Amino acid sequence: MTNEAKELLQPTPILSCSSTYTGAGIVIEGYKKAGFTLTAGFEYEPKYAATADANNKLPDGRSVVNFGRPDIGVDVSQLSGSSVRSFQKRIFGIERSLLFEGGPTCDDFSPLNQTGDFGRRIGMIHQLRLILETEPLVAVIEQSDKFLSHKNKDISDPYFEIVKRMPYRSTYKIINAIHYGSRHSRKRFIHVFIHRCLEKDFVFPEPLASPVIRVKDLAAFGLDIDSFCSGHFVDHYKYKNHVMCAVTGSSPATFTKGERIWTPTVKELMILCNLDPDSFIMLGSETGKRQMLGNLMSPALSYELGQIIRRDIFGYNRKENGVWVPDWIG
């Protein structure tokens, strides 16, 4: 570890995490469980930003979402790294985040999108620009696994050309969150960047030793069903020994228990998304809540990534007084 890294990894009351394409802040829940605190989040849709804000208020009631105005959306293409650093300096007394979380712009990459390019694919390039401008020690970009498909080479090729010139060691992998404690199946392209001053490489976690969660196991989390219909354009029926399909705005379409068939409730979808319906606040219409839940990396996976970043890359451990201390200090 370089002297620059030691100067940056100092005892701290919070482990800072900034985020773009934050959505409803669902992925942030996993990083929070791993010890991080959202210090700046940016989301274009105020209806999603309101939920992210409700779950990340400071103790004094101030907001860290969209420069403290979650009711006004922030276009990431217009966001500057200097403005992010200034906001964190004003609120927390820090400029440089330990962790940068780049959420998905996956609508335009997803095979479920039948309406064309909404212009969000270029967000992947803006994610890299903001990493360079904000200089976090670690960054994680999440995207649909289809980002690497041939039809997206007009974005992925320039993306990786920029990556080559960045002062970060990086590695990426396609991961299915079902192998990391997620209650539903979702593949994601995960790209992790480690600043060179840390002189470390990221090693992706091995799949958890415990078996994956199947339909028959969901009763332990409060969801007792016999089968489900995915509803992805055709009726795919799955049963007790199957894993749950990816949660989207319209999937799973129905649940079955005995003779009863019903549309999943928002609470039931939250359970599938590894969220506690009694503690995680969701705002907005029922349709809006389903859309929020349908565009995420499971917080179960972000928790596993966050644990590795905190423990193995930064070496932070929390002392009895609540202060995080890096292991290079002892």
Side-chain angles (χ1 to χ4, degrees):
M1 183 181 294
T2 66
N3 288 332
E4 178 187 0
K6 290 180 178 180
E7 289 177 4
L8 294 168
L9 294 177
Q10 292 290 323
T12 175
I14 64 166
L15 303 179
S16 55
C17 173
S18 56
S19 169
T20 55
Y21 297 105
T22 306
I26 294 172
V27 174
I28 296 297
E29 291 300 299
Y31 289 116
K32 286 164 60 177
K33 184 180 177 183
F36 291 90
T37 296
L38 183 66
T39 50
F42 302 98
E43 169 56 36
Y44 183 73
E45 293 284 355
K47 61 183 179 182
Y48 298 162
T51 289
D53 175 58
N55 291 283
N56 291 281
K57 289 283 192 186
L58 295 179
D60 60 8
R62 286 180 297 170
S63 172
V64 297
V65 177
N66 291 355
F67 299 114
R69 289 294 308 274
D71 56 316
I72 300 176
V74 171
D75 183 348
V76 171
S77 69
Q78 303 300 312
L79 183 64
S80 72
S82 61
S83 63
V84 176
R85 291 174 66 125
S86 295
F87 177 77
Q88 292 186 137
K89 178 71 172 179
R90 176 166 59 86
I91 302 298
F92 295 96
I94 59 171
E95 288 189 68
R96 195 168 177 179
S97 298
L98 291 172
L99 173 64
F100 171 97
E101 187 272 334
T105 62
C106 59
D107 284 357
D108 290 0
F109 292 107
S110 171
L112 298 180
N113 172 26
Q114 300 294 299
T115 54
D117 189 340
F118 291 100
R120 286 165 51 92
R121 294 190 308 147
I122 195 66
M124 290 294 282
I125 304 299
H126 288 296
Q127 301 274 39
L128 298 181
R129 173 181 61 79
L130 286 165
I131 291 172
L132 289 169
E133 292 178 1
T134 58
E135 296 184 284
L137 288 186
V138 173
V140 181
I141 289 179
E142 168 206 355
Q143 190 51 271
S144 163
D145 61 314
K146 303 306 179 186
F147 173 64
L148 296 179
S149 67
H150 182 77
K151 74 181 185 68
N152 292 313
K153 286 178 66 66
D154 61 321
I155 294 294
S156 61
D157 281 355
Y159 172 91
F160 285 112
E161 283 301 315
I162 295 171
V163 168
K164 292 176 184 178
R165 302 191 297 271
M166 296 174 70
Y168 288 84
R169 299 180 183 182
S170 77
T171 184
Y172 64 87
K173 188 175 183 178
I174 302 295
I175 288 182
N176 192 330
I178 199 72
H179 298 296
Y180 300 90
S182 173
R183 298 168 196 161
H184 71 119
S185 176
R186 188 186 292 274
K187 289 183 179 180
R188 277 293 192 248
F189 164 83
I190 305 294
H191 197 165
V192 182
F193 300 75
I194 309 294
H195 197 278
R196 288 175 184 166
C197 74
L198 294 174
E199 298 182 328
K200 293 186 178 182
D201 295 308
F202 185 82
V203 178
F204 278 98
E206 293 294 327
L208 298 181
S210 57
V212 299
I213 296 171
R214 301 181 184 277
V215 170
K216 64 184 179 182
D217 304 314
L218 293 173
F221 305 102
L223 182 55
D224 186 13
I225 62 174
D226 294 329
S227 63
F228 69 90
C229 172
S230 67
H232 283 150
F233 307 114
V234 293
D235 291 336
H236 290 298
Y237 289 92
K238 303 288 184 176
Y239 301 93
K240 287 281 191 178
N241 286 318
H242 290 98
V243 298
M244 180 57 61
C245 62
V247 173
T248 71
S250 60
S251 183
T254 60
F255 288 153
T256 300
K257 178 66 178 179
E259 299 298 318
R260 182 185 171 215
I261 302 175
W262 72 98
T263 301
T265 66
V266 168
K267 179 178 179 179
E268 289 168 336
L269 295 178
M270 291 177 71
I271 291 172
L272 293 183
C273 293
N274 293 73
L275 295 172
D276 182 352
D278 295 325
S279 61
F280 187 81
I281 302 168
M282 294 203 74
L283 303 177
S285 67
E286 292 299 293
T287 299
K289 291 175 183 178
R290 292 174 186 276
Q291 291 173 341
M292 292 180 213
L293 293 167
N295 187 22
L296 56 86
M297 175 175 75
S298 171
L301 178 54
S302 56
Y303 168 70
E304 294 298 328
L305 298 175
Q307 283 276 80
I308 292 174
I309 293 167
R310 176 187 60 77
R311 181 189 63 228
D312 300 340
I313 303 302
F314 296 145
Y316 270 115
N317 292 287
R318 199 168 198 172
K319 301 302 182 180
E320 292 182 0
N321 61 1
V323 174
W324 293 96
V325 178
D327 57 14
W328 74 264
I329 290 179

